[in-house]
Amino acid sequence: GSARTAEAVRAAFAEPEDAPTRALSRQLTETGDRLFARAGLQLSVARHGASNWERGANLDRAMTELSDRSALTRAIEKALTRPDEAQRIAALERLGDRADSAHHALYDDLGREGLQPHLVNPPGTNRDVQGRSGAIDGVADRLPRDGWRMAELTYAESLYERPLELAYRGLAPFTSYCLRYTWAGEGYARSVQVSANGTVLRPFHPRLTNPAYAQLAIAPQLIHAGRLRVRFTGEPGLGGSGRGVQIAESWLLALPPEQCSGGWQDPDAADGRTAMP
């Protein structure tokens, strides 16, 4: 049942760090204190008077939680408010299937090496030290305890005016698809255009929240010989540091257009959608 499942998850989350982890934390703290005493190295805001954790005070982030505990705890409590047991169980099951494998989604956890099979990286990318020809992996300046999923914290990014691309093969003929994606990353928001095999699905538009979630219907006639290339293009001519498009997750599902319309705000929702105008 949902109540017992939720209680078991809470118990697992409440388990303390193991002894080797606690010992390593103490060793890091002691080393940081010695470096401060002997060389004035400020590795902590609270202990050594550093100005900010982003200015080299990395001791303050040494024990950062690297799990979905915070986000899942909130989502579980929300799932338990569903009106009947069947809905509560379905909501909990959905939380354990971020990739939506239950609906055979083609999923990419962008920014995670080995978990982004559809990300396009041209040959020779590993020798592209400036990151101009392919996508690079990035991590947002947020923490899991802020309620972000680990999959939302990591993202793939294209630099300068190069688009970020996803390529799919072997798609079913005469089938409508739904592209869903998590648009998340650094705090700035540059406008992005989304296209499928050269046809614009959504013109340039800003990100209004971070993370932001979107879904776009892809008509069967846009898919050529079972192949599809999705392109996220940043607004041209902005210059600056070269930071480009940042996308954290993507799902491609075979769905009719009526199930891929309107707003989509929560990948962890049981039905994958929320009613939005």
Side-chain angles (χ1 to χ4, degrees):
S2 62
R4 291 183 63 185
T5 300
E7 185 57 36
V9 174
R10 294 190 195 100
F13 283 162
E15 292 181 2
E17 300 289 353
D18 56 31
T21 300
R22 294 195 300 272
L24 178 59
S25 177
R26 289 193 298 271
Q27 182 182 352
L28 289 172
T29 301
E30 292 167 359
T31 301
D33 288 346
R34 287 198 303 272
L35 288 169
F36 176 66
R38 299 178 184 181
L41 190 60
Q42 296 172 298
L43 296 177
S44 170
V45 175
R47 300 177 71 88
H48 310 142
S51 60
N52 188 283
W53 73 268
E54 292 180 315
R55 294 292 181 263
N58 46 32
L59 185 61
D60 291 342
R61 292 296 184 268
M63 291 298 289
T64 293
E65 177 182 289
L66 297 179
S67 77
D68 288 335
R69 175 171 17 197
S70 295
L72 283 178
T73 297
R74 300 177 190 178
I76 287 170
E77 298 307 318
K78 182 178 178 181
L80 294 179
T81 64
R82 299 281 182 127
D84 62 68
E85 179 66 356
Q87 292 182 3
R88 291 190 289 270
I89 290 175
L92 292 177
E93 289 177 343
R94 182 69 185 90
L95 293 178
D97 186 18
R98 180 76 176 185
D100 203 4
S101 57
H103 296 102
H104 309 289
L106 301 176
Y107 175 70
D108 288 76
D109 184 355
L110 298 167
R112 293 282 300 277
E113 184 67 29
L115 298 178
Q116 42 191 355
H118 303 100
L119 180 65
V120 176
N121 258 332
T125 299
N126 291 338
R127 297 189 298 271
D128 178 27
V129 295
Q130 291 185 327
R132 289 175 176 266
S133 65
I136 63 173
D137 296 338
V139 182
D141 53 355
R142 303 294 179 96
L143 297 174
R145 72 184 186 197
D146 297 329
W148 285 43
R149 283 276 209 146
M150 293 294 294
E152 295 169 337
L153 286 168
T154 60
Y155 57 82
E157 178 179 23
S158 61
L159 300 181
Y160 301 98
E161 296 186 1
R162 185 185 181 281
L164 185 72
E165 296 180 293
L166 303 172
Y168 302 89
R169 295 185 178 185
L171 301 183
F174 314 112
T175 301
S176 297
Y177 280 85
C178 182
L179 172 70
R180 291 172 173 167
Y181 57 94
T182 303
W183 185 2
E186 300 303 319
Y188 68 86
R190 292 188 171 185
S191 294
V192 166
Q193 174 184 273
V194 187
S195 61
N197 278 347
T199 297
V200 174
L201 301 178
R202 190 173 182 186
F204 288 104
H205 60 287
R207 185 183 66 202
L208 301 180
T209 62
N210 191 20
Y213 311 102
Q215 63 178 2
L216 298 169
I218 300 176
Q221 58 267 29
L222 295 182
I223 299 173
H224 305 151
R227 297 190 177 191
L228 173 68
R229 181 164 291 215
V230 173
R231 176 174 288 184
F232 299 90
T233 305
E235 188 175 358
L238 294 181
S241 65
R243 302 300 294 271
V245 178
Q246 298 175 350
I247 304 294
E249 297 174 278
S250 65
W251 297 257
L252 188 68
L253 305 97
L255 283 178
E258 59 269 20
Q259 294 186 32
C260 188
S261 61
W264 180 65
Q265 281 196 314
D266 189 356
D268 286 330
D271 62 355
R273 301 184 305 281
T274 55
M276 289 284 290

